[in-house]
Amino acid sequence: MKTIEEMIMEENKRQDDYVELIASENFVSQRVLNAAGSKLTNKYAEGYPGKRYYNGCDIVDQIEQRAIDNAKKIFKANYANVQPHSGSQANMAAYLSVLKPGDKILGMSLSSGGHLTHGHIVSSTGIIFEATHYYVDEKTNELDYEAIEAIAIKEKPQLIVCGASAYSRMIDFEKFQKIAKKVGSYLLADIAHIAGLIVAGLHQSPLEYCDIVTTTTHKTLRGPRGGMILTNDEEIAKKIDKSVFPGNQGGPLVHIIAAKAIAFEEASTISFSKYQKQIIKNAKAMSEYFLEKNVSIISGGTDNHLFLIDVKKSFGLTGNIADALLFKANIITNKNSIPFDTERPMVTSGIRIGTPAMTTKGFKEKEFIEIAKIIFDVLTDKTEEFAISQQTKVIKILRGVNNDNQ
Ligand code: DSN
């Protein structure tokens, strides 16, 4: 039987041998990795810096305070809670800080690009709260703020969620704020996907417009797997603290909090801003290649780190078949529902492509266009034999670049 250590070595090799285009994944620096794998994992620290339930927390107090200070600095926020174990837990803790079970939330539907925790029926957020949804416009596949306002007026939610997991256009938080004000609801922005772009000033920041902001720390932000909640409202901040601990979690993962502190420090550098700019340039270059080939891109392009291909319309394939074929060519994408998809979520009509991870590995427009060409050829040919024959080319492209995050 293989040991876990052997399996970790195999996973390390897998990460070296595949082109990683899952929009929510990234490769952290060695410093982040060292902190996440440190002896801090041995420590219990229920509570907050200076107010713990156990002794021996003086060092982890300093670490958590550093993570909080770094987060506040990069997001220009008055408050940060760095304890949520994940984006989903950040969302639930944030909801329960200002809502009661049974209250109504209004979020973006999953097939339009929203997240399960924005009130989908299979998520506890759709079970505990009464959830309603808004959709992208059927023609443009972009957010239609007038339509969202009409739904908000009709539904009168206590909280509106903006933010997405599969939406390639800018989100106008100011317009959402106007809608929330009009219907008297709280406004929460889930910036899990675009957090790094916001830190680099490449996307409008929601802090000025939203009551609460949640995020993961491991996507464009390039930190360890985890969540975080931000706000500028002093009263809401107190409620969030209580809702995270003891409301939703026990002891924080202090090794991960240390890794978050390092990632936030890295995110304050000029090289991080350059990296974020390159992510967008790469996504644009790749999507433009596909558009030239008459491939159907949802909403006709991208302003951020990802885009969706309608593989049914473009290649006569379902998302699950397309991502399986690409996997044979050592290219990892994920099947993804597209707006108004008629296929089930395990099948789908689309694939989602993101550039953050391979931009970290050093890919520029040239490499992304080379990969786009291979994707186009594999999905046009449709045979496993052809896909497998492309592996050598993919690995050659991978070996030709240097990771810029070590
Ligand atoms: N699973 C994440 C994503 O891929 O977007 C969202 O939680």
Side-chain angles (χ1 to χ4, degrees):
M1 195 169 71
K2 275 189 289 191
T3 62
I4 293 291
E5 287 76 10
E6 284 164 345
M7 290 186 238
I8 292 173
M9 292 309 285
E10 281 179 11
E11 171 62 11
N12 290 349
K13 179 159 165 43
R14 187 197 66 78
Q15 292 192 16
D16 284 345
D17 287 351
Y18 283 78
V19 164
E20 180 53 69
L21 298 177
I22 294 176
S24 48
E25 293 189 10
N26 213 328
F27 298 102
V28 299
S29 69
Q30 194 58 49
R31 277 188 77 204
V32 168
L33 211 50
N34 292 346
S38 68
K39 287 189 181 177
L40 289 166
T41 195
N42 299 333
K43 187 70 195 109
Y44 246 125
E46 279 131 320
Y48 290 101
K51 287 171 281 176
R52 305 285 190 186
Y53 284 81
Y54 298 136
N55 284 322
C57 288
D58 45 334
I59 297 164
V60 297
D61 275 5
Q62 293 169 49
I63 290 172
E64 183 167 346
Q65 194 55 54
R66 181 72 61 83
I68 292 168
D69 293 344
N70 288 353
K72 282 162 60 177
K73 184 176 154 212
I74 59 172
F75 285 99
K76 301 183 181 65
N78 294 339
Y79 161 93
N81 188 311
V82 296
Q83 292 195 3
H85 301 328
S86 70
S88 297
Q89 285 191 271
N91 280 346
M92 185 51 94
Y95 295 154
L96 285 171
S97 69
V98 292
L99 301 178
K100 304 182 300 303
D103 279 352
K104 195 181 264 189
I105 62 174
L106 172 65
M108 191 172 186
S109 89
L110 191 66
S111 70
S112 279
H115 190 251
L116 286 167
T117 59
H118 298 177
H120 194 281
I121 190 63
V122 300
S123 152
S124 54
T125 59
I127 297 168
I128 293 175
F129 304 107
E130 188 188 337
T132 51
H133 291 100
Y134 55 87
Y135 302 84
V136 289
D137 177 74
E138 231 166 308
K139 279 208 182 87
T140 62
N141 288 164
E142 293 195 38
L143 289 170
D144 174 348
Y145 296 91
E146 279 177 26
I148 297 168
E149 181 176 318
I151 294 174
I153 289 170
K154 178 167 165 270
E155 297 291 347
K156 298 185 185 56
Q158 270 82 35
L159 181 141
I160 297 175
V161 188
C162 50
S165 284
Y167 183 68
S168 65
R169 297 303 184 179
M170 296 287 173
I171 296 171
D172 193 329
F173 297 117
E174 192 175 359
K175 284 192 179 152
F176 268 108
Q177 184 193 43
K178 283 192 185 129
I179 298 170
K181 279 207 167 135
K182 195 160 198 170
V183 300
S185 71
Y186 287 108
L187 180 61
L188 180 148
D190 177 346
I191 58 165
H193 267 262
I194 54 173
L197 305 180
I198 290 169
V199 168
L202 302 171
H203 191 293
Q204 183 190 52
S205 168
L207 261 311
E208 200 183 319
Y209 307 107
C210 300
D211 300 295
I212 307 177
V213 175
T214 61
T215 185
T216 53
T217 48
H218 50 273
K219 298 187 173 96
T220 47
L221 202 48
R222 208 162 64 177
R225 194 154 289 274
M228 176 163 67
I229 310 177
L230 307 159
T231 184
N232 279 336
D233 184 308
E234 220 174 292
E235 287 311 307
I236 292 178
K238 287 182 201 151
K239 291 179 185 170
I240 293 170
D241 269 351
K242 284 197 187 124
S243 186
V244 172
F245 174 81
N248 282 272
Q249 294 184 179
L253 310 174
V254 280
H255 53 306
I256 297 300
I257 290 175
K260 286 175 184 172
I262 293 171
F264 301 156
E265 187 188 310
E266 290 172 351
S268 68
T269 60
I270 290 169
S271 72
F272 184 81
S273 293
K274 277 194 194 149
Y275 160 64
Q276 297 295 324
K277 277 188 195 133
Q278 193 63 48
I279 288 176
I280 298 180
K281 280 191 205 165
N282 290 343
K284 281 188 189 291
M286 215 180 184
S287 64
E288 277 156 20
Y289 173 86
F290 284 122
L291 288 170
E292 275 166 27
K293 293 280 188 186
N294 287 323
V295 169
S296 172
I297 305 282
I298 303 302
S299 87
T302 181
D303 300 326
N304 60 23
H305 63 299
L306 63 78
F307 58 92
L308 292 150
I309 297 180
D310 181 340
V311 287
K312 191 182 257 184
K313 198 165 162 189
S314 312
F315 303 100
L317 294 167
T318 52
N320 59 336
I321 304 281
D323 80 359
L325 270 175
L326 293 171
F327 186 64
K328 296 276 176 204
N330 282 31
I331 296 173
I332 305 194
T333 60
N334 65 278
K335 58 181 166 290
N336 212 102
S337 297
I338 57 172
F340 313 102
D341 209 330
T342 51
E343 299 287 353
R344 288 174 295 120
M346 285 304 282
V347 178
T348 80
S349 303
I351 57 170
R352 185 182 64 165
I353 293 189
T355 54
M358 295 316 298
T359 305
T360 293
K361 285 251 171 124
F363 274 29
K364 299 245 170 5
E365 291 92 325
K366 175 178 164 286
E367 288 79 18
F368 272 104
I369 290 169
E370 284 169 8
I371 294 296
K373 184 175 180 326
I374 296 172
I375 292 176
F376 181 82
D377 291 346
V378 167
L379 299 185
T380 303
D381 182 275
K382 301 182 183 52
T383 67
E384 270 192 28
E385 295 69 35
F386 181 78
I388 291 166
S389 77
Q390 299 302 293
Q391 280 177 10
T392 337
K393 271 197 222 166
V394 170
I395 296 199
K396 197 167 167 220
I397 299 168
L398 269 168
R399 301 289 180 257
V401 292
N402 294 317
N403 190 334
D404 81 347
N405 185 31
Q406 288 306 314

